[in-house]
Amino acid sequence: MPTLEMILNGKEVSVEVEPGDLLAHVLREKLGLIGTKISCGEGECGSCTVLVDGFTVTSCIYPAMKAHGREVTTIEGLAKGSQLHPIQQAFVDVTAPQCGYCIPGMVMSAKALLDENPHPTQEEIRMGISGNICRCTGYYQIVEAIELAAQRMAEEGGAP
Amino acid sequence: MWDDYLFPHSVKEALDMLEARGADVRIIAGGTDLALQRQGGRNPATVMVDITRISGLERIEERDGYIHVGARVTHAQVAASPLIRSRAGVLAEACGSVGGPQIRNVGTLVGNVVNALPAADGAIGLTALDAQAEVAERTGRRWTPISDLYAGVGRCTVDSCQAMITQLRFKALGDGEGDAFERLAKRKALILPILNAAVVVGVDGGAVKSARIAIGPVATKPFVATDAAEWLIGQAPDAAAAANAAKLAAQTAEPRYSLLRGSAEYRKSMVEVLVRRALTRALALASGEGGGHADS
């Protein structure tokens, strides 16, 4: 059984995996990080989105071994202790989630977007989350939350 | 399930792995299609040879008038490449419309070709650019037109259990050339196209001197509308020429009825609309309107 070694949420992690394991499965079942959601299981809906070396991937179709030697960030890696990441806080403050199942993926796509483009337009935000599907909200509050997060992060001099 | 997952460090090592491990071994790059094929029981391979850590295959560069795109290059990298955006904008547009951001970050342009689907946006862009692929086999490397890579829907003449495509190349567009990509789909992201079209044209002395029109999915492989392109040669690069060439392209394209994509009649009508839009934009760029192809 191969060993997957990666930097997971800032910490070195080593875990035995099957060669065919997918990253979402390893995160949830072997490492207990159940914030990453599996919904469609086909890389279509984006609820399983995590960052690999800063880029969003749909972890439900991403072979776990591809993450070997890489930096992986999941929704659990954003908050600092009990202090939510500004993106998470903004989602709470504008009541962006309804059922909430898509939200970890939405937040990770928003994180990748704001890391690359700290001042996105509404259109750029919509493109940034175009790989994430929400069946509850109609997206307005989600876009609003990302705008609010961008604004707060700029005021704070940029959170990581 | 997979029995092994290997990371070769060179093309030779990858080919050696294919040779040594027999029929159940195959090349994987981004794996965005392969993971789904595996889930659906449509790919029996059990040993994966992952080429995404082979040095040199990550390059996008211009050499000898050709733009080269390595086998590791993702759709997102093509869409963001300043070189491709300025000298082959049609391909940047095409790659930017594949899947969603997460798929574009992982799936490769070469994989878009190897999967051999006639709707593949990247492959349609490459077809309009008359691209070639470098195939690496045990016996050596050879360049082949990508149009020769299609053995049928979803079947590539390069068998990923025995060989691999290492890079693609196509001529960089210059002054007097223009290009454009158009796509019709039910949504703007994460959806297969009802139709797509890519065109590359050249204009000189007030007349069209070259044209290539690729359309998908209207045949078992990316369709090249040769009659329409041939008719365009010598015409003034104006709206009337674009409209007539688009009409000819629609006459020769044969889209089928599709539960997913709509009726054959509707899609045939829409071929004309997409090709007209693409040609109108490309001819304007080639004629120097809108600042030339560098702004595409």
Side-chain angles (χ1 to χ4, degrees), chain A residues 41-42 44 61, chain B residues 1-2 23 26 31-46 48 115-117 153-155 159-161 192:
Chain A
E42 297 183 343
E44 292 278 341
I61 59 166
Chain B
M1 282 310 293
W2 294 341
R26 64 161 292 148
T32 49
D33 281 317
L34 190 53
L36 299 184
Q37 290 165 4
R38 179 182 72 156
Q39 284 176 15
R42 285 176 282 123
N43 200 302
T46 55
M48 297 294 121
N115 270 290
L117 293 176
V153 176
R155 288 194 298 129
D159 179 359
S160 294
C161 298
L192 294 171

Side-chain angles (χ1 to χ4, degrees), chain B residues 2-13:
Chain B
W2 294 341
D3 297 330
D4 213 348
Y5 199 96
L6 308 171
F7 287 108
H9 296 289
S10 68
V11 171
K12 181 178 181 307
E13 191 183 356

Side-chain angles (χ1 to χ4, degrees), chain B residues 69-222:
Chain B
V69 179
R72 282 170 56 181
V73 175
T74 65
H75 292 92
Q77 289 165 339
V78 171
S81 160
L83 175 63
I84 293 177
R85 288 164 69 98
S86 64
R87 307 292 300 280
V90 63
L91 188 61
E93 286 186 63
C95 287
S97 64
V98 169
Q102 297 95 321
I103 299 298
R104 293 195 291 273
N105 282 339
V106 179
T108 63
L109 179 57
V110 166
N112 201 248
V113 173
V114 172
N115 270 290
L117 293 176
D121 297 291
I124 293 293
L126 288 168
T127 301
L129 289 161
D130 206 8
Q132 299 173 314
E134 187 189 53
V135 182
E137 298 159 309
R138 299 282 301 170
T139 49
R141 298 194 189 196
R142 61 186 164 89
W143 286 100
T144 184
I146 66 159
S147 55
D148 289 349
L149 295 176
Y150 292 84
V153 176
R155 288 194 298 129
C156 182
T157 57
V158 176
D159 179 359
S160 294
C161 298
Q162 297 180 21
M164 63 178 283
I165 293 175
T166 46
Q167 57 179 335
L168 303 161
R169 74 175 179 190
F170 45 84
K171 286 207 171 108
L173 303 186
D175 288 343
E177 292 182 292
D179 53 350
F181 177 79
E182 290 286 340
R183 187 182 211 260
L184 177 66
K186 288 179 182 169
R187 297 192 296 124
K188 287 183 182 171
L190 280 174
I191 190 92
L192 294 171
I194 293 170
L195 288 166
N196 50 16
V199 305
V200 175
V201 297
V203 170
D204 190 21
V208 178
K209 69 169 174 50
S210 64
R212 198 165 160 88
I213 302 167
I215 307 165
V218 297
T220 55
K221 58 190 264 187

